[in-house]
Amino acid sequence: MAASMASYVENFISGFDDSAAKLIAKHLAAKDVSWTEIIEDLGQYLTSPTTSTRARATRLIADILHYIPNDLLTEKEVNLLITYICEKLKDHHSLQPPALYGLLALCKAPHLSSEDLSMVCHQIFTEVNCQSLAQGDRRIVFNLFYALLTTRLKDVQKLGGDFIIGFIQMMDSEKDPRNLVISFACAQIIIRNIPLGAFKEEMFEVVSCYFPIDFSPSQTDPSGIKKEDLILGLRACLAASPLFAEYCLPLLMEKLTSELKSAKIDALETLAACAKTYGANNLYEFQSAFFSSIKKEVFLSGDPAVETAALSALTSLVTAIATGVTTSNKRHSLEGFVDEILQECKNHLLQPELMLMLSTGRLLQSVAMATSQSCDQVVRAVMPLLVDTFNKQTQSTPKHNVVLVVNGFIGVTQCFTYSDNNPNPILTYKAQLVDMYKKSLGEDTSSIQVLGLRGLDKLLVLGAQQFSPDEVSDVAQLLLDTITQVACEDSVRCECTDVLRNVMCTNPSLAENTVYPTLFKLLHNENMEVPGQECLDRPGVLEVIAGITKGSHCLQLATKEIYKLLNNETFHSLYPSVTKCLARLSSSCSSDPACLGSLTGGVKVIHNLVVSRCRVEAWYRVLSDVEVLSNLAEFIRHQAAHWDHSVSSEMQSLFMESFFRNVSSNDNQDDDLDVFKGQPHNFCPLKASCDTVFVSLLTPVLASGTKQCDHVHFPELTARLAGFMLEPLDPAPHLTVCKCLAAIINKEPLGKTLDELLTSIKDKLTSVLELQGQGHHVSALSWVTKALVLRGHSFVKDFVNMMFNLLGSSDLGHSAAAGFCTLLTDQSDVLTSEMHANIRIMYRQRFFVEYLSSIVSGYQASGPETKQNWLLALSYLMQGLDKHVLIPELNKIYPLLVQSLLQDDLDLQLVTMETLSDLICSAPEVISKQIDSLIPKLLKMTTYKPSMKVRISALKCLAGLCSLPIPVLVPYKAQVVRALVPVLGDRKRLVRAQAVTARQEWIMFDAEDK
């Protein structure tokens, strides 16, 4: 072992093997060798007259110390090693870096004694000139101090002023941002935990000299240090002690006069951070000066970032002053400071036609936001002025500004908690504010009406207990009158709907006795007129009902009436609006378990309506309307996703039982015989043909539930759907059949039943596609394949290969390529996680990786007439994929994308350019390598006459290229700018607008660099 140790040491010293330290540390940790043996082997090198040899020997010891466990060394060993290494600090300066590195490891040892810690600090402060060291070595020094301050703070505190002055000397003149981040962290700990005494000014000077931070990190900097890291580190130091107030506050005042925006923002944010620490006594002297500077920035800067920082600083300033002890000197108190601010700002509130009014409002709101006391003082001072000013104005702009400021103050008061003994100051002016908001609703300008409604909503929430039932009823009636006017703009009606909904939630009796009766009366009296105004039509009233309904009580009131409308033939013309209202109610309320009962009752109403009415021609014509069916399906779908298993099974059984059973005349003994006169006595859509109404309503019931029920007719259902799927139906019912069957296949448990169904479907599809395949057969294949791909079924490969075979067909190839869009695009109404679909994690990525080679080889083997089918399939395959999946395959894919741009296929070109746009953002380094071939193709597409969409997409891609590195783009700048000149005169306005944007991007992409 001794011989091997000697060889390790010799190899390290000679520079042949730097890994020797790790091997020695391993033997040391395993106790195969002792420190005594290692030092004996190093003896001749440690005492060598050659400086470089002594440095390598010291470095070996340091490396070993870093590789061994921290707790391996005993206290005696730590003491001996520290004593020896500290002596090396007095040796040649080239030995200091490895010695410091070794001390860093020893300072982390748990057996480091207080005396050894003191020795380390003393020797470093005495022997090391930190400024003369390299950046990495200085970093070791600061890391050493940080380790001591975070793990041995009590021992460091015993060193007191010696440690402080030593650290100041070490940190002085440090410029490297990587080291500054650590030194700021050390300084913050020192300032907070060690009494600065006579060194407070020196400590402040050594950190404040960096304020404000001026640092622009390099994009290629591996350290990742950001300007924000340095700013926050320095700010924490300045805000660490109130002793810095006398030095820092004048510095901040000085920086607030700077012309640099970044310096102003930094000064304001630092003031906000320091105010609480410095306290009221230190701030009194500067409060007026700071307020003047802040007011100037808010009034005159015109920069949102500066204004935000200024307002935040003012809030912190007022909060800090509020903590001061009340004295006889009113100026040195919160009340006096707020009075001073009010005196300087009140006059601006009396001039709402000027923009200073809004700035003053924000300024005072920041003051009010500081404490409940300042909020009370400001609100009581300004609210009467604002209300009076509103009442005196005749122009819309001043009124708008006043209401905006008042709403801001109401929002501020929501930040505090009030009680009966300490009421919200806003509520003192409740009557005046309600009157003002009512007047704002009578204005002709919609923006004032919207602001008035928002303010009224906030006021009602704040004073929920202070408003009497009559007052709330008056407000609700006003809202109803506004919302039911035809002249009411959409934005106002939407806001009014929100306010009325909130009022009804807190006052259920109001909904039952006033709101809904009024709206239902309008529904039943289409031509009802109110004197002096024209009322909203019935579709509009239904929209209002959908908007204001929230909660189980309101939903029950609304749906009870709407379900009656569904069964009333006089409302056939309103069916699109009625069903749309139901769909909106289901969307907004189905997530509330308390509402599901009312909604589920609606599904039964619809079921009974279809079963009992669909045999009547007039009813069937209404129910089979595309919009009506879509709305009813959406109504069922939203709530079906929230049904538990028992309800879901009940609904599925209800629909399947009704649609399969033979309905005899006895089953309809309660029906009006005149209504069904001349109609067939049996209603059994599954045994006749694919009925549009039936399939559209059955699909959400089966596809959205948590689990499919084991109904006796379920096998027959799947068989019939599989048959319908192959029939030449109208597009809408055929798509619904495909979605329904796909959902069933996706959720069907693994087993013999599913395998037999898939085998049957595969055989039928293979047969029809070989003989006389049509587009709807390809669509059916796509949906079945999608269901299998999502769940990762073993039959996937067979169905995908069928789609690949179709890509080579001149007749069905384009449809098959479009089928890949269906295959890999998320749907909103079926096969989603919200509807409990069986979705395998990362199914798109898996599909791409597994079948990319097949598409590439298929493209290469295909004829000229079908190549574009393979390219279109590839483009759909790439959409939405993460760059980490695409980048490894881009060398294989990119040539095919370029070929796609050359094809005379509109869909292919658009999809390809969309894919390229995604790649420009997600994989710029890859596109940069291919830009030489890409730019000419895109420039050619900008003049593609047959399609405006192609020209716009090409221009968007060209504009997107400007996000690539500047050196990549510069060689092409003149070419692109010149080539886009003719496009500026394109006959289509949208193309011209996009051309202007793209050309401007290319002209200006290097402006910032210059």
Side-chain angles (χ1 to χ4, degrees):
M1 179 60 68
S4 62
M5 280 298 116
S7 64
Y8 289 156
V9 170
E10 184 179 354
N11 288 338
F12 186 92
I13 299 298
S14 60
F16 292 147
D17 185 10
D18 285 346
S19 66
K22 185 179 291 186
L23 296 172
I24 295 173
K26 184 177 180 181
H27 288 295
L28 193 61
K31 300 188 183 303
D32 296 333
V33 66
S34 66
W35 271 107
T36 304
E37 294 174 286
I38 295 172
I39 298 300
E40 287 177 356
D41 290 332
L42 277 171
Q44 58 177 321
Y45 304 113
L46 292 172
T47 58
S48 171
T50 307
T51 303
S52 60
T53 302
R54 297 199 306 277
R56 287 291 291 176
T58 306
R59 179 69 189 200
L60 177 58
I61 293 176
D63 285 351
I64 293 172
L65 289 171
H66 278 274
Y67 285 129
I68 63 174
N70 286 341
D71 59 352
L72 184 65
L73 296 174
T74 65
E75 183 175 343
K76 184 177 180 179
E77 289 173 330
V78 171
N79 175 260
L80 290 172
L81 287 168
I82 282 181
T83 303
Y84 172 76
I85 295 177
C86 282
E87 286 298 317
K88 288 297 177 183
L89 293 177
K90 302 175 183 178
D91 202 337
H92 191 271
H93 65 83
S94 63
L95 269 73
Q96 286 189 348
L100 289 168
Y101 188 58
L103 289 174
L104 174 60
L106 289 170
C107 286
K108 297 177 182 179
H111 298 127
L112 175 70
S113 66
S114 301
E115 293 77 13
D116 291 336
L117 183 149
S118 177
M119 183 196 306
V120 170
C121 294
H122 176 73
Q123 289 298 324
I124 291 176
F125 293 148
T126 304
E127 303 297 339
V128 177
N129 181 7
C130 194
Q131 289 76 16
S132 66
L133 298 175
Q135 180 274 328
D137 300 327
R138 299 199 305 276
R139 185 179 180 86
I140 290 173
V141 174
F142 292 123
N143 276 324
L144 186 150
F145 290 145
Y146 185 75
L148 293 177
L149 287 165
T150 53
T151 61
R152 305 295 295 272
L153 180 59
K154 289 185 178 180
D155 292 325
V156 174
Q157 286 173 330
K158 296 176 183 178
L159 301 177
D162 292 339
F163 187 87
I164 293 172
I165 195 63
F167 177 80
I168 291 173
Q169 291 172 351
M170 294 293 111
M171 183 178 174
D172 190 27
S173 302
E174 180 58 58
K175 295 180 180 179
D176 189 87
R178 293 163 290 184
N179 293 347
L180 283 174
V181 169
I182 306 172
S183 60
F184 285 151
C186 293
Q188 180 187 350
I189 298 173
I190 293 170
I191 296 167
R192 290 183 184 276
N193 297 281
I194 304 177
L196 299 179
F199 303 116
K200 64 178 181 179
E201 186 172 0
E202 286 79 3
M203 179 58 83
F204 176 78
E205 291 294 338
V206 81
V207 295
S208 64
C209 65
Y210 299 101
F211 184 84
I213 295 291
D214 183 16
F215 171 61
S216 299
S218 170
Q219 294 182 350
T220 58
D221 182 11
S223 67
I225 299 296
K226 301 176 183 177
K227 182 177 181 179
E228 190 69 15
D229 299 329
L230 295 170
I231 289 174
L232 295 177
L234 175 55
R235 188 173 297 155
C237 293
L238 296 177
S241 171
L243 297 176
F244 287 168
E246 61 179 302
Y247 311 114
C248 187
L249 293 176
L251 175 64
L252 297 178
M253 281 297 306
E254 176 190 345
K255 297 304 179 184
L256 282 176
T257 63
S258 171
E259 296 296 324
L260 292 174
K261 170 186 169 182
S262 59
K264 288 183 179 180
I265 293 176
D266 203 354
L268 290 165
E269 291 178 346
T270 303
L271 174 61
C274 294
K276 182 179 180 180
T277 303
Y278 291 172
N281 291 335
N282 289 315
L283 291 170
Y284 286 144
E285 181 183 349
F286 300 92
Q287 64 184 26
S288 298
F290 275 125
F291 173 69
S292 297
S293 297
I294 289 171
K295 183 177 71 170
K296 177 183 175 183
E297 297 304 329
V298 173
F299 284 179
L300 303 178
S301 71
D303 189 294
V306 175
E307 181 179 328
T308 299
L311 295 175
S312 177
L314 180 58
T315 301
S316 299
L317 186 63
V318 176
T319 303
I321 289 175
T323 61
V325 178
T326 304
T327 64
S328 58
N329 187 350
K330 187 177 179 181
R331 185 174 180 275
H332 289 175
S333 67
L334 174 63
E335 183 181 355
F337 185 40
V338 174
D339 275 342
E340 178 185 342
I341 294 171
L342 288 170
Q343 290 301 321
E344 293 195 33
C345 295
K346 270 186 177 181
N347 290 335
H348 297 304
L349 295 178
L350 302 176
Q351 299 172 310
E353 68 278 1
L354 303 178
M355 291 305 295
L356 281 180
M357 197 265 192
L358 295 178
S359 299
T360 302
R362 291 192 293 272
L363 199 71
L364 292 175
Q365 287 159 18
S366 297
V367 174
M369 200 178 296
T371 67
S372 59
Q373 183 183 349
S374 64
C375 180
D376 187 88
Q377 188 176 348
V378 171
V379 168
R380 293 184 187 280
V382 303
M383 203 54 63
L385 288 176
L386 292 171
V387 174
D388 186 57
T389 301
F390 179 88
N391 292 330
K392 290 179 179 179
Q393 299 300 318
T394 57
Q395 300 297 318
S396 59
T397 299
K399 289 185 176 183
H400 175 279
N401 292 343
V402 172
V403 177
L404 186 60
V405 172
V406 170
N407 288 357
F409 279 111
I410 294 178
V412 169
T413 62
Q414 291 177 318
C415 300
F416 303 103
T417 303
Y418 297 96
S419 63
D420 294 338
N421 297 328
N422 179 31
N424 190 320
I426 283 289
L427 297 179
T428 306
Y429 310 97
K430 181 188 69 175
Q432 297 94 312
L433 290 175
V434 170
D435 183 62
M436 184 188 75
Y437 288 134
K438 286 182 178 180
K439 290 178 180 177
S440 67
L441 280 177
E443 293 291 326
D444 295 332
T445 307
S446 62
S447 60
I448 299 179
Q449 294 176 316
V450 169
L451 285 176
L453 287 165
R454 290 175 182 171
L456 185 59
D457 190 24
K458 291 180 180 179
L459 189 62
L460 289 168
V461 172
L462 279 179
Q465 305 301 322
Q466 279 72 28
F467 280 88
S468 67
D470 289 340
E471 289 175 325
V472 176
S473 180
D474 288 344
V475 170
Q477 191 59 55
L478 175 65
L479 295 172
L480 270 176
D481 293 342
T482 304
I483 211 171
T484 54
Q485 292 178 18
V486 172
C488 182
E489 294 190 18
D490 291 341
S491 59
V492 178
R493 181 173 288 115
C494 181
E495 200 69 41
C496 204
T497 299
D498 292 341
V499 180
L500 188 56
R501 180 175 61 246
N502 295 336
V503 171
M504 290 164 55
C505 287
T506 55
N507 298 272
S509 60
L510 193 66
E512 186 173 355
N513 300 325
T514 304
V515 178
Y516 282 117
T518 301
L519 295 173
F520 294 157
K521 189 174 182 181
L522 289 174
L523 279 178
H524 290 279
N525 299 275
E526 183 177 10
N527 298 319
M528 174 182 166
E529 294 184 1
V530 177
Q533 65 184 42
E534 191 175 349
C535 286
L536 195 64
D537 59 6
R538 293 195 292 180
V541 173
L542 286 165
E543 287 188 13
V544 171
I545 292 174
I548 65 173
T549 301
K550 181 181 180 182
S552 58
H553 178 68
C554 291
L555 180 67
Q556 188 175 4
L557 294 173
T559 52
K560 182 179 179 181
E561 184 67 24
I562 295 174
Y563 296 156
K564 291 179 181 178
L565 299 182
L566 283 177
N567 285 286
N568 191 336
E569 61 182 349
T570 61
F571 283 87
H572 280 181
S573 60
L574 272 183
Y575 249 53
S577 300
V578 172
T579 53
K580 182 180 179 181
C581 178
L582 280 176
R584 287 184 59 189
L585 290 174
S586 179
S587 175
S588 61
C589 299
S590 57
S591 58
D592 183 356
C595 295
L596 276 179
S598 298
L599 295 173
T600 305
V603 178
K604 295 179 180 178
V605 169
I606 293 171
H607 161 267
N608 294 335
L609 180 69
V610 171
V611 171
S612 63
R613 297 286 194 266
C614 261
R615 289 174 292 158
V616 180
E617 182 180 355
W619 279 95
Y620 185 82
R621 188 166 54 250
V622 173
L623 289 171
S624 61
D625 179 79
V626 174
E627 183 181 357
V628 170
L629 279 179
S630 175
N631 292 335
L632 290 176
E634 184 180 351
F635 170 73
I636 298 173
R637 183 169 62 248
H638 285 304
Q639 54 181 298
H642 298 277
W643 288 338
D644 58 31
H645 178 58
S646 60
V647 176
S648 181
S649 298
E650 179 189 353
M651 291 296 106
Q652 291 178 21
S653 298
L654 176 67
F655 272 76
M656 282 192 286
E657 187 70 32
S658 299
F659 286 130
F660 273 97
R661 66 186 174 91
N662 288 328
V663 183
S664 66
S665 57
N666 292 331
D667 294 324
N668 295 309
Q669 58 184 353
D670 295 330
D671 290 335
D672 184 351
L673 297 179
D674 292 333
V675 172
F676 294 100
K677 188 176 181 180
Q679 302 298 331
H681 291 291
N682 294 329
F683 176 73
C684 195
L686 270 182
K687 294 191 175 180
S689 63
C690 179
D691 181 80
T692 304
V693 178
F694 157 64
V695 176
S696 297
L697 300 183
L698 182 64
T699 298
V701 173
L702 292 177
S704 304
T706 55
K707 187 180 178 182
Q708 292 162 1
C709 69
D710 299 325
H711 194 272
V712 64
H713 290 304
F714 202 79
E716 185 180 354
L717 170 67
T718 54
R720 292 296 295 159
L721 289 174
F724 290 148
M725 187 175 63
L726 302 179
E727 293 181 8
L729 307 174
D730 292 337
H734 184 268
L735 178 61
T736 306
V737 167
C738 292
K739 289 181 177 181
C740 187
L741 185 60
I744 291 173
I745 292 173
N746 179 262
K747 295 182 182 181
E748 180 69 19
L750 293 174
K752 181 179 178 181
T753 302
L754 179 60
D755 291 346
E756 290 177 352
L757 175 62
L758 292 176
T759 302
S760 172
I761 292 174
K762 184 179 71 171
D763 293 341
K764 291 178 180 179
L765 282 172
T766 302
S767 177
V768 297
L769 289 172
E770 287 178 354
L771 296 176
Q772 49 182 3
Q774 298 179 23
H776 66 277
H777 296 137
V778 179
S779 177
L781 173 61
S782 302
W783 279 100
V784 174
T785 308
K786 179 181 180 69
L788 298 175
V789 168
L790 283 173
R791 68 181 293 173
H793 195 274
S794 57
F795 273 64
V796 166
K797 195 167 185 179
D798 296 337
F799 283 85
V800 172
N801 286 336
M802 291 172 66
M803 294 186 69
F804 282 155
N805 293 335
L806 290 175
L807 289 175
S809 167
S810 56
D811 296 327
L812 299 177
H814 193 278
S815 299
F820 280 88
C821 180
T822 300
L823 198 65
L824 299 169
T825 302
D826 289 335
Q827 305 294 319
S828 61
D829 57 344
V830 72
L831 294 177
T832 67
S833 56
E834 291 80 9
M835 297 172 191
H836 313 287
N838 189 354
I839 301 178
R840 190 184 187 193
I841 188 171
M842 298 176 68
Y843 76 92
R844 285 193 191 86
Q845 291 86 335
R846 297 173 189 270
F847 190 87
F848 174 82
V849 171
E850 187 171 352
Y851 293 105
L852 175 62
S853 298
S854 300
I855 289 184
V856 173
S857 59
Y859 167 80
Q860 294 170 346
S862 62
E865 69 281 358
T866 60
K867 283 187 178 295
Q868 65 183 22
N869 298 335
W870 293 92
L871 294 174
L872 184 58
L874 174 63
S875 294
Y876 285 130
L877 197 66
M878 294 174 61
Q879 282 188 328
L881 284 179
D882 187 84
K883 69 175 182 178
H884 297 100
V885 181
L886 285 175
I887 289 175
E889 308 292 343
L890 272 181
N891 290 333
K892 188 187 302 183
I893 295 171
Y894 186 79
L896 301 186
L897 292 178
V898 175
Q899 288 298 317
S900 299
L901 293 177
L902 302 177
Q903 300 295 319
D904 193 21
D905 185 305
L906 177 60
D907 291 337
L908 176 58
Q909 291 170 335
L910 291 174
V911 172
T912 301
M913 281 188 282
E914 184 177 343
T915 303
L916 286 171
S917 295
D918 292 340
L919 287 176
I920 291 170
C921 297
S922 61
E925 64 281 357
V926 176
I927 296 297
S928 297
K929 297 176 183 178
Q930 310 291 344
I931 196 170
D932 189 50
S933 60
L934 181 59
I935 284 182
K937 303 289 190 305
L938 292 176
L939 289 175
K940 183 178 179 181
M941 305 296 287
T942 60
T943 56
Y944 183 75
K945 291 185 177 180
S947 173
M948 175 183 74
K949 292 182 179 179
V950 170
R951 301 199 296 277
I952 291 176
S953 295
L955 289 166
K956 287 181 178 179
C957 279
L958 283 169
L961 289 175
C962 292
S963 62
L964 299 179
I966 291 175
V968 175
L969 300 175
V970 168
Y972 306 96
K973 179 176 180 178
Q975 176 190 357
V976 174
V977 171
R978 185 170 56 251
L980 290 180
V981 171
V983 190
L984 298 175
D986 194 278
R987 65 183 185 276
K988 294 293 186 180
R989 179 183 60 82
L990 294 178
V991 178
R992 295 196 300 271
Q994 191 60 51
V996 169
T997 300
R999 192 167 185 268
Q1000 184 178 3
E1001 291 285 341
W1002 274 87
I1003 291 172
M1004 299 297 294
F1005 70 75
D1006 58 347
E1008 183 177 349
D1009 186 60
K1010 291 179 180 178

